[in-house]
């Protein structure tokens, strides 16, 4: 919070030609975080009362005293207020992170990763499924694309970066020809969302799911988190690409038109709470799915609870409340982790590396 948030405020300030009003609001937010206390949203904010009801004990106290999940979520809401995203005016609805997202999406690395899909055209469906699941898992790791962790393991060997691998249990829940509905709760756009969409296409095309519901954020959140507009941007990027990427992109576009892929959102996805506190309507929807797949580190923290769990705590324990079968695909970028066996934990702890936070390790965990 002391380092990343000030940097982000300056990056947002420079990304758009904001006027004096926005600059003053960004300056005030920066000063408040570093030297002041948590202030409520302005009187005209439509969700002011909602936030005042969300653990009101944090208001009037230093930002560093609040639980990090709450403080991080509230920071992004305040940032949107500062740049005029939510209020009436010329900047209403203008995503302050759009330039960052587009720079990644239009970069040459995405071109290379889309071309690599051509290598999977003649690969048997089962092997293709494994490759695409791995690509979705590692999608937000900067040096990985559809090829997986290239150079780190030979074909047929276990991926040394995986600290837990329940992929067999995941596929067992989605046998080919099943009438399954799969919910996917997205994380980042761009280089993570594209592999997610390719995996969704595979699920639909090969009968692992009859229908997929892709859940995205209702507003800009955590810089690169995916919204509906980002889904459209990714599909346009794919559809305009040559080869297999273009074929898949156009097929996904058609699946959305046919209702086989549905994009939805919910205000709770930007709330400062673990999924254990999800509202009844979202609980009912996810409970009706054959499997819910949660992507990324933040969704994992919200799924198991942002706590200092012993790493060998069974994954089934902290997720017992979830209303249906659930799978986590997560690259490790925070200390929170459960479901490891003791041998794996001892090996990782003895490595001397920051395996919990460096993004070099990942997990696939399933609770049927």
């Amino acid at each position: 919070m002391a380092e990343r948030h000030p940097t982000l405020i300056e990056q947002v300030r420079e990304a758009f030609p904001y006027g004096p009003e926005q600059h003053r609001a960004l300056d005030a937010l920066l000063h408040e975080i570093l030297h002041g206390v948590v202030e409520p949203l302005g009187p005209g904010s439509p969700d002011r009362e909602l936030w005042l009801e969300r653990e009101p004990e944090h208001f009037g106290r230093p930002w560093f005293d609040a639980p990090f999940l709450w403080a991080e979520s509230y920071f992004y809401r305040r940032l949107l207020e500062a740049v005029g995203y939510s209020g009436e005016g010329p900047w209403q609805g203008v995503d302050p992170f759009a330039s960052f997202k587009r720079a990644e999406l239009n970069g040459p690395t995405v071109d290379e990763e889309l071309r690599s899909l051509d290598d999977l055209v003649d690969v048997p469906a089962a092997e293709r499924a494994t490759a695409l699941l791995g690509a979705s898992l590692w999608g937000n790791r900067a040096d990985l694309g559809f090829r997986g962790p290239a150079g780190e393991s030979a074909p047929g060997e276990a991926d040394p970066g995986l600290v837990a691998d329940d992929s067999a249990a995941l596929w067992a829940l989605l046998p080919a020809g099943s009438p399954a509905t799969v919910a996917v709760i997205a994380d980042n756009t761009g280089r993570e969302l594209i592999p997610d969409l390719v995996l969704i296409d595979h699920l639909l095309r090969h009968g692992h799911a009859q229908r997929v519901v892709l859940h995205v954020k209702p507003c800009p959140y955590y810089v690169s988190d995916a919204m509906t507009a980002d889904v459209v941007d990714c599909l346009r990027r794919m559809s305009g690409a040559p080869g297999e990427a273009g074929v898949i992109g156009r097929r996904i576009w058609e699946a959305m038109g046919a209702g086989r892929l549905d994009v939805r959102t919910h205000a709770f996805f930007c709330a400062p709470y673990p999924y254990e506190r999800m509202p009844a309507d979202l609980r009912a929807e996810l409970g009706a799915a054959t499997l819910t797949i949660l992507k990324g580190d933040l969704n994992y923290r919200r799924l198991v609870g942002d706590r200092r769990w012993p790493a060998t705590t069974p994954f089934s324990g902290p997720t017992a409340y979830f209303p249906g079968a659930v799978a986590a695909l997560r690259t490790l970028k925070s200390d929170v982790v459960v479901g490891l066996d003791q041998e794996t934990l001892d090996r990782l702890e003895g490595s001397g590396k920051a395996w919990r936070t460096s993004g070099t390790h990942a997990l696939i965990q399933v609770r049927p």
Side-chain angles (χ1 to χ4, degrees), residues 301-349:
R301 289 163 54 200
R302 297 185 70 188
L303 175 65
V304 303
D306 207 20
R307 302 168 185 161
R308 292 187 179 276
W309 296 103
T312 55
T313 302
F315 180 68
S316 59
T319 61
Y321 70 89
F322 205 83
V326 62
L329 304 185
R330 176 229 185 175
T331 302
L332 276 66
K333 296 179 180 179
S334 67
D335 288 316
V336 180
V337 66
V338 298
L340 304 191
D341 61 66
Q342 190 64 54
E343 181 180 354
T344 298
L345 179 61
D346 291 343
R347 172 176 59 83
L348 293 167
E349 293 290 85

Side-chain angles (χ1 to χ4, degrees), residues 211-232:
R211 180 170 171 266
V212 176
V213 180
L214 178 61
H215 296 271
V216 295
K217 300 296 190 298
C219 63
Y221 194 61
Y222 279 68
V223 184
S224 58
D225 280 29
M227 302 188 299
T228 303
D230 301 313
V231 176
V232 176

Side-chain angles (χ1 to χ4, degrees), residues 182-334:
V182 177
V184 178
I185 301 179
D187 185 25
N188 297 315
T189 187
R191 293 181 63 201
E192 180 168 4
L193 185 59
I194 287 177
D196 294 344
L197 291 169
V198 175
L199 177 62
I200 288 170
D201 171 72
H202 183 89
L203 295 178
L204 292 171
R205 187 182 179 208
H206 292 274
H208 295 286
Q210 194 172 72
R211 180 170 171 266
V212 176
V213 180
L214 178 61
H215 296 271
V216 295
K217 300 296 190 298
C219 63
Y221 194 61
Y222 279 68
V223 184
S224 58
D225 280 29
M227 302 188 299
T228 303
D230 301 313
V231 176
V232 176
D233 286 345
C234 287
L235 283 179
R236 285 178 173 153
R237 181 75 158 92
M238 295 171 66
S239 300
E244 182 70 357
V247 172
I248 294 173
R250 292 186 289 273
R251 196 160 55 216
I252 297 171
W253 194 288
E254 292 173 1
M256 291 181 67
R260 300 186 66 210
L261 172 57
D262 188 14
V263 178
R264 295 188 184 178
T265 190
H266 195 289
F268 184 77
F269 292 131
C270 294
Y273 299 134
Y275 281 106
E276 192 169 9
R277 295 178 62 175
M278 74 178 85
D281 59 338
L282 183 59
R283 178 179 292 273
E285 181 170 356
L286 299 181
T290 306
L291 175 68
T292 297
I293 300 174
L294 292 96
K295 288 296 310 296
D297 195 78
L298 175 60
N299 276 325
Y300 188 87
R301 289 163 54 200
R302 297 185 70 188
L303 175 65
V304 303
D306 207 20
R307 302 168 185 161
R308 292 187 179 276
W309 296 103
T312 55
T313 302
F315 180 68
S316 59
T319 61
Y321 70 89
F322 205 83
V326 62
L329 304 185
R330 176 229 185 175
T331 302
L332 276 66
K333 296 179 180 179
S334 67

